[in-house]
Amino acid sequence: MEFNQKEQQAISQIEGIFGEHKGYRRAHARGAGYKGIFEGSGEAAELTDAAHFQQAKVPVLLRFSHFSPDPTWADAMSPVKGMAIQFKIGPEEVTNIVSVTSPVFFARSPERFMEMLEVSRSFKKGRPKLMELAELLTDFPEVRAMFSSVKKMTVPESFATGIYHSIHAFHFEKGGSRQAIKYLFEPDAGENKRSLKDMKDLPFGYYEQELAERTARSPVSFKLYAIIGEADDPTDDPTRDWPKDRERIFLGRLVIEAPDDEAEQALYDPTVMTTGISCSDDPILKFRRGAYRHSYEKRIAENG
């Protein structure tokens, strides 16, 4: 696959700001891979032909992660956590969902994302200076939603107790009809949280170790829902959340069983779709395809 100049530039920019950590992903560098099963409910069968959302069980790979591009950052420096899932629909077919513990992203276009990366240079060693933060909010008004979310943010007690959002919208398709949706994962263990202040005393690697101990005792599970979009809900802007009163459809249950090396190395491209699902017109979502692939190929080459 060829990458356009913008995607390559973004990866180079991340390396220039956060360091070139060979063998790691250029975003969400540190994490842990697992294998499991997804049990489809069949409740969305009237909206999509997607095989994994019928009444069926499919194997999955998944990876929990910290958002930082620098794998040496402490757990507390990455308050947003991620969960990426790869559904193995057939011998040669997969589809992915990438989700995080924030309902919104901080940029609505690749151009804004790259501009804001430069601003983040001041974040590298800790909090941004007050004047720099004020300037950021003035220059990039769409980032206010992200900072508002972070200001109120609590952090999951465990990777297993976070609520994960797809951020991007997608379309369910069936018989010529399309329905805009977003994905939401809710933990069966309950949403146990801690404040950002409480994170500072956590040891490095706490989240990975806690999850390994938890899954050794029993499987971890999440319920997956489709949030049903309405006519005025934006599908092209990941900085804007949808109203909380939207209808939800239960898609199935994700059961996480054990650590897995393949899952840690897999490429979780959020634009890899399957029959019955399509990408929205979100420019950040489209941008991720090439950026993820470029990062993946660099990582694989570095690891030999």
Side-chain angles (χ1 to χ4, degrees), residues 16-186:
I17 295 168
F18 297 97
E20 186 176 3
H21 302 280
K22 292 185 181 295
Y24 287 92
R25 286 170 168 81
R26 270 46 182 188
H28 290 257
R30 181 159 60 90
Y34 282 76
K35 64 181 179 180
I37 294 289
F38 180 75
E39 305 167 347
S41 70
E43 293 183 22
E46 293 184 359
L47 295 178
T48 176
D49 289 318
H52 57 309
F53 292 148
Q54 310 309 309
Q55 288 184 316
K57 291 185 179 182
V58 297
V60 298
L61 300 178
L62 62 148
R63 182 178 186 264
F64 291 95
S65 62
H66 309 274
F67 83 87
S68 172
D70 185 340
T72 68
W73 276 19
D75 293 23
M77 293 179 71
S78 292
V80 177
K81 308 304 178 186
M83 180 172 68
I85 305 94
Q86 183 167 103
F87 302 84
K88 291 179 169 285
I89 295 174
E92 302 294 333
E93 184 179 5
V94 301
T95 188
N96 302 319
I97 298 177
V98 174
S99 61
V100 294
T101 54
S102 169
V104 293
F105 194 55
F106 62 85
R108 62 176 301 175
S109 71
E111 293 78 14
R112 292 298 245 188
F113 171 72
M114 292 166 70
E115 289 178 54
M116 292 162 70
L117 272 179
E118 285 303 311
V119 175
S120 72
R121 286 184 188 275
S122 65
F123 293 32
K124 186 176 179 182
K125 300 299 182 183
R127 295 181 180 178
K129 296 176 182 177
L130 183 60
M131 289 302 295
E132 291 172 333
L133 182 56
E135 183 179 336
L136 176 65
L137 292 173
T138 300
D139 292 346
F140 307 105
E142 68 266 32
V143 83
R144 289 173 189 157
M146 183 67 172
F147 274 109
S148 176
S149 176
V150 169
K151 192 176 179 181
K152 298 179 287 187
M153 180 181 286
T154 53
V155 185
E157 181 79 25
S158 161
F159 280 137
T161 63
I163 291 179
Y164 294 86
H165 310 258
S166 66
I167 292 181
H168 305 293
F170 298 86
H171 288 103
F172 279 175
E173 299 177 336
K174 182 161 185 171
S177 297
R178 302 174 83 217
Q179 171 62 56
I181 64 100
K182 287 186 176 182
Y183 295 111
L184 179 72
F185 290 91
E186 291 189 345

Side-chain angles (χ1 to χ4, degrees), residues 206-239:
Y206 166 82
Y207 279 83
E208 291 91 323
Q209 182 63 33
E210 192 279 338
L211 184 62
E213 293 173 357
R214 184 185 290 255
T215 54
R217 294 192 299 268
S218 62
V220 166
S221 59
F222 290 81
K223 292 182 178 70
L224 172 59
Y225 294 91
I227 301 172
I228 305 302
E230 297 186 3
D232 294 333
D233 294 335
T235 59
D236 63 348
D237 186 353
T239 69

